[in-house]
Amino acid sequence: MSRLPIVAVVGRPNVGKSTLINRIIGRRSAVVEERPGVTRDRREFMADWSGRQFLLIDTGGWQVAGDELATDISGQAEAALASADVVLFVLDASTSIADDDLGVATLLRTTPERVVVVANKVDDAARELDIAELWSLGLGEPIPISALHGRGTGDLLDRLIDRLPALDEVPEIDPLPRLAIVGRPNVGKSTLLNQLLKDERVLVSPVPGTTRDPIDAVVELGGVRYNIVDTAGIRRAPKVKEDTEFYSVLRAREALAAADVALLLIDSVEGVTQQDQRIAEEAADGGAGLIVMLNKWDVADLEQREATEAAVARRLGFISWAPVLRISAKTGARLHRLDKTLELVIRNRSRRLQTPRLNRLVREWHAAHPPPVRKGRRPHIVYAVQAGVEPPTIVVFVGGGVLGDDYLRFIEHRIRGVEDFIGTPVKVVARRRGRKDGA
């Protein structure tokens, strides 16, 4: 089965690459802000035009000179170019050609046949005269567009489709289990993704907040392929001060909500924080499987290790069902245990209890430990059934009163004692028995 053609969107910072990406894919997915360097990593999106599918790669802005982070961003753009079938070279037609534009053009002249020059910010016909200078780059005819308003983007996509290599067939997109790497800023999430991919796919910087967007990739672990997402660090709401950071955190939460399994990364040197608790609670409440990964275990001293393990038991006791791995994302130490742990968690998310067995167990627990009296009435469980999986969801039908959350937690605890649900939340919900049944 043939692969999808790859289209890379490149250019210097702040020329509108992410705005163009959002226009092509039809949703606000790439973070857009009028400030250079907002896109830090290369991201991949499925796109379609006139029935042709292709993979669209959004890159960070190319810069001839700058700090270490700017150099890394430029390296990401070069890596995207190496694998691309077609390159959309985006320039700001409202300004003169900059040194960074010339740097990109020099790199692209080695294969001009795969380059489409995009003259962005041409908002009306009068501004089309501004693109004349772009012919001097020697990369062919510039296509005038306005990514913000959509002007000319249809013509651009028609030109793009003409440049795509022929496909004998359109590949089917098989759904893969989704993993989300989550945690506070700067705990090593991007380092972990790069280690799993064996590729410097995501920028790693000591500056918190380097990852702005969720970064999607496909990784194979133990012979199983997963869609894995490196998310922006999730901060407490009062600390989210910028619009860009707000949307980054929002998308991180969206990625978490869509995940089958969340990999919660915790800094073993700093220990478990209140924010780690909140993220764990959010993952469990959302129904994702959960694996706690204590990162930087190799550099933590004995006292820090003991303190972190004690804090896991104390602060994360409500997810005591989650496996705990002690790893080093930087060196890859102990990461070989992740594939078997993932297989276990995903298997347990689909585990079912047969209804006769479930009801027999619930009756035994109910008889030995009946629910407490509430408002003068003692509720009783009439029937129980597993209503769903991913996560396993148990519905108990109750008569004679209201079943409290404490008793629902009691049932969950007992269920975990008789069945292997390691790594997955188990939802136990109560429903009142209808009046026709005598409630």
Side-chain angles (χ1 to χ4, degrees):
M1 187 170 288
S2 55
R3 68 168 177 82
L4 286 179
I6 297 172
V7 178
V9 182
V10 301
R12 64 179 169 86
N14 216 35
V15 293
K17 296 186 297 298
S18 293
T19 304
L20 178 59
I21 293 285
N22 288 334
R23 174 66 59 180
I24 293 173
I25 64 177
R27 64 183 186 273
R28 189 180 176 87
S29 186
V31 174
V32 178
E33 183 180 346
E34 289 299 321
R35 188 177 62 186
V38 171
T39 300
R40 309 276 179 92
D41 304 282
R42 67 185 195 266
R43 303 184 62 201
E44 298 178 357
F45 304 91
M46 288 289 300
D48 180 283
W49 182 254
S50 297
R52 288 296 306 274
Q53 287 186 321
F54 53 94
L55 197 63
L56 199 61
I57 300 181
D58 184 14
T59 67
W62 172 283
Q63 291 178 275
V64 174
D67 57 18
E68 182 179 352
L69 182 57
T71 301
D72 287 341
I73 292 172
S74 298
Q76 292 289 319
E78 288 190 65
L81 287 179
S83 61
D85 296 298
V86 179
V87 177
L88 298 182
F89 178 19
V90 184
L91 300 108
D92 184 346
S94 66
T95 65
S96 299
I97 296 175
D99 289 342
D100 290 330
D101 295 324
L102 293 173
V104 181
T106 300
L107 188 67
L108 296 178
R109 285 195 195 104
T110 57
T111 53
E113 67 280 354
R114 64 184 181 130
V115 179
V116 178
V117 179
V118 183
N120 192 27
K121 305 186 183 180
V122 181
D123 296 335
D124 52 51
R127 294 191 176 184
E128 290 189 9
L129 296 175
D130 297 337
I131 73 172
E133 182 187 15
L134 303 183
W135 281 90
S136 66
L137 295 172
L139 292 168
E141 178 186 0
I143 308 298
I145 71 159
S146 171
L148 182 62
H149 303 295
R151 182 177 186 271
T153 53
D155 293 337
L156 169 63
L157 288 169
D158 288 340
R159 179 74 64 88
L160 168 61
I161 294 300
D162 290 340
R163 298 286 185 94
L164 293 181
L167 280 178
D168 296 332
E169 55 180 327
V170 177
E172 297 177 3
I173 307 302
D174 297 324
L176 300 176
R178 294 187 63 84
L179 312 180
I181 304 175
V182 297
R184 295 180 292 113
N186 215 36
V187 293
K189 297 185 298 298
S190 296
T191 303
L192 175 60
L193 179 58
N194 286 335
Q195 183 66 240
L196 294 175
L197 292 173
K198 304 302 180 186
D199 176 33
E200 292 300 317
R201 168 68 182 275
V202 181
L203 297 185
V204 178
S205 169
V207 179
T210 300
T211 300
R212 297 280 191 173
D213 293 304
I215 310 299
D216 288 72
V218 174
V219 63
E220 185 170 316
L221 301 171
V224 180
R225 297 171 75 240
Y226 299 92
N227 185 291
I228 188 166
V229 183
D230 171 30
T231 66
I234 300 177
R235 303 173 187 261
R236 292 189 296 113
K239 291 191 175 182
V240 179
K241 299 177 181 178
E242 307 173 19
D243 286 345
T244 305
E245 188 172 3
F246 170 79
Y247 286 112
S248 296
V249 171
L250 180 62
R251 290 188 184 95
R253 289 198 158 102
E254 289 173 350
L256 176 57
D260 294 299
V261 182
L263 307 179
L264 173 57
L265 214 59
I266 291 174
D267 189 321
S268 299
V269 176
E270 296 182 4
V272 182
T273 69
Q274 188 176 29
Q275 185 61 8
D276 293 324
Q277 287 180 294
R278 289 194 178 96
I279 298 170
E281 185 176 8
E282 194 166 335
D285 288 348
L290 190 59
I291 299 173
V292 177
M293 306 185 76
L294 304 181
N295 191 27
K296 306 179 185 179
W297 194 255
D298 55 330
V299 297
D301 59 32
L302 180 59
E303 184 178 352
Q304 290 167 333
R305 290 182 179 185
E306 291 177 346
T308 296
E309 290 192 317
V312 167
R314 184 178 69 255
R315 290 193 156 187
L316 301 182
F318 62 96
I319 56 162
S320 59
W321 42 263
V324 178
L325 301 181
R326 297 154 184 83
I327 66 152
S328 169
K330 186 175 182 179
T331 67
R334 301 182 182 86
L335 271 178
H336 64 279
R337 303 176 183 177
L338 179 58
D339 56 346
K340 294 297 183 184
T341 307
L342 279 170
E343 289 179 25
L344 174 65
V345 172
I346 289 175
R347 183 168 63 248
N348 287 345
R349 279 173 54 76
S350 297
R351 189 177 295 276
R352 282 188 176 274
L353 285 168
Q354 295 300 314
T355 301
R357 179 179 180 229
L358 177 61
N359 276 280
R360 175 178 56 79
L361 291 170
V362 169
R363 282 194 295 269
E364 291 175 1
W365 302 331
H366 185 277
H369 301 279
V373 175
R374 292 178 179 270
K375 297 182 179 179
R377 305 184 68 187
R378 186 185 300 277
H380 60 276
I381 297 174
V382 180
Y383 187 74
V385 64
Q386 183 170 345
V389 294
E390 297 182 352
T393 302
I394 310 296
V395 179
V396 292
F397 294 89
V398 183
V402 177
L403 206 61
D405 290 341
D406 53 347
Y407 201 79
L408 296 178
R409 286 192 294 270
F410 164 75
I411 294 175
E412 178 195 347
H413 179 72
R414 288 303 178 94
I415 287 173
R416 290 188 181 278
V418 298
E419 195 71 24
D420 181 6
F421 284 112
I422 292 172
T424 181
V426 175
K427 306 289 186 182
V428 182
V429 296
R431 293 287 183 267
R432 293 290 301 276
R433 190 178 64 174
R435 290 188 178 277
K436 290 189 296 183
D437 297 323

